[in-house]
Amino acid sequence: MMWDALRLADRVAVHFGWDFTQRRAPLPKDLSLPGWFAGSQARLLDLANQHAKDSQEVQRILALLK
Amino acid sequence: MRDVVRLCELDLSLVARVLSLVNSNLLGCRRPIKSLLQAMVILGVNRVRNFALISYRTDRFDRLPDAFPLKRFWSRSFSTAFISRGIVPDESGVVHEDVFLAGTLHDMGIAFLCEIFPDEYPYILARASREDVPLHELEQEAIGVQHAEIAAHVCEGWRIPEGVANVIRVHHGDTPPRGSRRRSG
């Protein structure tokens, strides 16, 4: 499950253009979500926004670590 | 636990940074946490361990070329950490802090490779951006090793839980690490 979660999160980061190399690739329409993930791609992207970009938690951590 | 605290307290800047993290509004603690021991009791050893590792690691890449976008690098790592931890269900039995740690550290091999190959690696990064090719494929082609393998190797050296290192090692692979639990249904 950890492997699935990390790979999904990795792909979402690329999808949003957050990737380190600034590559950007849309999530494939046929992206298979693991069975334990209750929801659609849209929910995955919502969760991603909630837990990363929009939450500003990342920026807060970076500021604290300066 | 007290032994761990005593060891950590040998590095006062580390303690200060961990306490600043645990007292930030990231965790929503209502009472101020004044010591590492208190943090471990309230937050758990795993979470404090993660903060200590992150605090320690973020300023240790001191041989990186000036052009290396370190802030973007960590920003991307933390984003992945938050997303991956957020999508794992609470009832899964998976240690969420391990997922967070895997997300935070999974790409640190990129920074290590940039320190080890300061002349070659920036070209690999630039090519990945320019040609829109996955970085790990270019690494394999140019230097014969991928950042995931480097990161996993370092994690093993740090005695990070084996499951975390194994997941990091194959995060660009097509199959989960051997022996991992994969719930498909």
Side-chain angles (χ1 to χ4, degrees), chain A residues 1 7 17 19 21 51 65, chain B residues 17 72 76 82 129 173 181:
Chain A
M1 186 180 281
R7 284 170 56 86
D19 188 60
T21 59
H51 285 283
L65 290 173
Chain B
R17 294 174 81 177
R72 185 175 179 84
R76 189 258 200 269
F82 278 111
S129 299
R181 280 190 309 162

Side-chain angles (χ1 to χ4, degrees), chain B residues 47-62:
Chain B
R47 185 167 275 191
V48 175
R49 173 203 68 189
N50 288 357
F51 281 128
L53 271 171
I54 291 164
S55 300
Y56 178 77
R57 196 57 257 172
T58 43
D59 66 350
R60 289 305 193 276
F61 290 117
D62 52 4

Side-chain angles (χ1 to χ4, degrees), chain B residues 104-177:
Chain B
T104 305
L105 302 179
H106 77 291
D107 270 347
M108 70 174 168
I110 291 173
F112 280 115
L113 284 174
C114 207
E115 287 193 334
I116 297 166
F117 301 102
D119 295 326
E120 299 87 348
Y121 202 74
Y123 288 103
I124 298 173
L125 284 174
R127 205 180 139 201
S129 299
R130 192 176 59 242
E131 299 177 14
D132 196 24
V133 179
L135 183 59
H136 63 278
E137 292 179 10
L138 294 180
E139 291 167 345
Q140 191 67 43
E141 177 188 311
I143 53 181
V145 67
Q146 298 182 16
H147 64 266
E149 180 63 38
I150 299 290
H153 187 71
V154 172
C155 285
E156 286 169 348
W158 289 348
R159 300 193 180 182
I160 281 172
E162 189 183 4
V164 174
N166 289 342
V167 161
I168 287 175
R169 176 173 288 108
V170 294
H171 76 266
H172 288 299
D174 293 327
T175 51

Side-chain angles (χ1 to χ4, degrees), chain B residues 2-16:
Chain B
R2 288 182 189 277
D3 289 341
V4 174
V5 170
R6 266 196 289 272
L7 270 178
C8 291
E9 285 175 346
L10 293 174
D11 185 340
L12 290 179
S13 70
L14 174 68
V15 174

Side-chain angles (χ1 to χ4, degrees), chain A residues 58-59 62-63 66, chain B residues 68-77:
Chain A
V58 171
Q59 298 310 319
L62 290 171
K66 274 182 185 169
Chain B
F68 188 86
L70 194 58
K71 187 174 178 185
R72 185 175 179 84
F73 170 78
W74 283 119
S75 176
R76 189 258 200 269
S77 298

